[in-house]
Amino acid sequence: MTHPSWQPWQGNGTPQPWQGSGSPAPQRWQGGGVPQPWAGQGSPSPSMLASHADRERAVDVLRAGFGEGRLEQGEFEKRVGRAYAARTVGELALLVADLPQGPVPHPAPVMHVPGTFLPARPQTNGKAVGSAVCGAVCLLTFGLAGVPAVVLGHAARAEIRRTGEAGDALALTGLVIGWLSTVGWAIILTAMIVAAAASA
């Protein structure tokens, strides 16, 4: 693993673990209270040997604290150096005990956007509405509204493609119902004419 060029143990070439006689010596970043266990994977024992992943997680917390202005440059570099030299999970926990376990989220301010700057909704095409209405009243008019529904539907779809207006679904609905009604009446009239001719 490649260590940063500013790690303190590169002077004599031998990394030294952060240990005192019996227990870690109190540092100025430990605060006045008892350091809380570092929330790594679960709740490991403080005496458990630290893995490369444990060290990297601790360094990530230190970087977040430095980026938020909680640590000065010198103290940040010192702690990172001790994190890479740490032998146990407990040593890493002391290094990050007074820092949030990751970046602190900053909620984005809620800003009111004037209606003038909101995207305008496309206007519904009037012929598309008329086509849908004619298609809906086909049954009430015994299919006489089918032809207007078809004409208005075709005209509405052509205008919608040209202007970008809304209402294509309405125009398509009127078209379908109008054509069904028109074809149905054509079949009925054809059958009546054939029946009349056959009976003559």
Side-chain angles (χ1 to χ4, degrees), residues 98-121:
D98 56 351
L99 294 173
Q101 302 300 300
V104 177
H106 299 284
V110 179
M111 298 180 63
H112 175 70
V113 179
T116 307
F117 299 102
L118 293 176
R121 293 183 178 179

Side-chain angles (χ1 to χ4, degrees), residues 110-181:
V110 179
M111 298 180 63
H112 175 70
V113 179
T116 307
F117 299 102
L118 293 176
R121 293 183 178 179
Q123 184 178 1
T124 302
N125 185 275
K127 292 180 180 179
V129 177
S131 176
V133 171
C134 290
V137 299
C138 276
L139 293 178
L140 300 178
T141 60
F142 300 100
L144 296 178
V147 174
V150 171
V151 173
L152 289 174
H154 282 295
R157 298 198 74 189
E159 290 184 1
I160 289 171
R161 285 193 295 268
R162 186 176 66 255
T163 62
E165 291 178 313
D168 187 68
L170 294 175
L172 186 60
T173 301
L175 269 174
V176 172
I177 298 176
W179 274 116
L180 289 175
S181 175

Side-chain angles (χ1 to χ4, degrees), residues 11-153:
N12 54 16
T14 304
Q16 297 296 326
W18 179 37
Q19 295 178 351
S21 55
S23 61
Q27 303 292 335
R28 63 186 180 90
W29 58 76
Q30 292 184 14
V34 178
Q36 299 298 317
W38 171 48
Q41 294 180 340
S43 298
S45 171
S47 60
M48 181 183 295
L49 293 177
S51 66
H52 294 310
D54 293 331
R55 296 185 185 92
E56 291 298 335
R57 282 194 295 270
V59 171
D60 287 340
V61 174
L62 294 173
R63 286 173 181 158
F66 177 68
E68 294 167 357
R70 301 178 188 274
L71 296 174
E72 296 180 356
Q73 179 75 30
E75 184 175 359
F76 167 69
E77 294 178 359
K78 183 177 180 181
R79 291 200 193 191
V80 170
R82 291 186 181 276
Y84 280 118
R87 290 282 298 164
T88 64
V89 174
E91 296 174 24
L92 295 174
L94 291 174
L95 288 172
V96 298
D98 56 351
L99 294 173
Q101 302 300 300
V104 177
H106 299 284
V110 179
M111 298 180 63
H112 175 70
V113 179
T116 307
F117 299 102
L118 293 176
R121 293 183 178 179
Q123 184 178 1
T124 302
N125 185 275
K127 292 180 180 179
V129 177
S131 176
V133 171
C134 290
V137 299
C138 276
L139 293 178
L140 300 178
T141 60
F142 300 100
L144 296 178
V147 174
V150 171
V151 173
L152 289 174

